[in-house]
Amino acid sequence: MTASSPTSATSRQHGLSSEARNLHWLLTNLVEEVPGLNSVAVVSSDGLMLLSSDPGRNEPATREAPQGPKGSSADLATIVSGVGSLTIGASKLMEAGNVKQTMVAMEEGSLFVMSISDGSLLGVHATPDCDMSIVAYHMALFVGRAGHVLTPELRSELRQSMESAK
């Protein structure tokens, strides 16, 4: 699949709305354009994964769901939800306003969490040698493009597609 062709992704995503296919394409584009990304997940405000960079996770249930290793998008979704909740709580206690982005630098990788809209979050697990400014920039582009279309109806559709991919 080429990064510039949203229609090549649609053949795998039968029955999804054009908005859902567009978000799938944006996620694929993010993964393909940014070097050093291990895993990417979009998580709803209630902690459910809406989109994933794991192969097969965003496709209809025509085969077994992949059993990803630690660090997979399913693990990342859990971590992103927890980190998001923790930082929102900290922000409220500090009276610091809305959390825009959280970054955790570790010896063997980095974790980035960015708010999308209505409590939804974009999470990225990257390699230790990634260019953090490039990762953050591309995440901000994704958030800017996805935020206005991530309606409650679309979140529901994405949840259902993730459940059927299991």
Side-chain angles (χ1 to χ4, degrees):
M1 180 166 99
T2 62
S4 61
S5 174
T7 56
S8 59
T10 61
S11 63
R12 295 188 326 231
Q13 299 162 358
H14 303 283
L16 293 179
S17 67
S18 62
E19 292 87 2
R21 288 191 310 267
N22 187 41
L23 282 178
H24 284 280
W25 178 79
L26 285 172
L27 183 83
T28 301
N29 198 31
L30 174 68
V31 171
E32 289 177 353
E33 283 191 5
V34 182
L37 300 188
N38 291 327
S39 189
V40 180
V42 175
V43 182
S44 67
S45 60
D46 54 0
L48 297 175
M49 186 162 41
L50 300 177
L51 289 172
S52 163
S53 65
D54 282 347
R57 277 297 214 172
N58 297 322
E59 297 176 12
T62 56
R63 59 186 144 158
E64 285 187 40
Q67 301 298 315
K70 278 193 165 186
S72 71
S73 294
D75 293 334
L76 179 62
T78 302
I79 294 165
V80 166
S81 180
V83 168
S85 180
L86 180 64
T87 56
I88 289 169
S91 176
K92 286 180 182 176
L93 285 173
M94 295 177 193
E95 298 177 355
N98 292 331
V99 177
K100 295 179 182 179
Q101 179 179 352
T102 304
M103 200 276 299
V104 180
M106 301 166 278
E107 286 181 16
E108 300 299 322
S110 297
L111 171 68
F112 300 84
V113 179
M114 194 172 282
S115 299
I116 299 176
S117 65
D118 295 341
S120 297
L121 301 166
L122 171 63
V124 169
H125 172 220
T127 61
D129 61 344
C130 74
D131 185 328
M132 292 182 193
S133 62
I134 289 176
V135 173
Y137 173 75
H138 282 275
M139 287 178 70
L141 288 178
F142 180 93
V143 166
R145 293 172 180 153
H148 67 283
V149 297
L150 203 51
T151 61
E153 296 80 16
L154 184 55
R155 285 193 297 275
S156 177
E157 179 183 356
L158 292 169
R159 277 189 205 128
Q160 290 173 350
S161 74
M162 291 301 289
E163 288 173 6
S164 68
K166 290 182 181 179

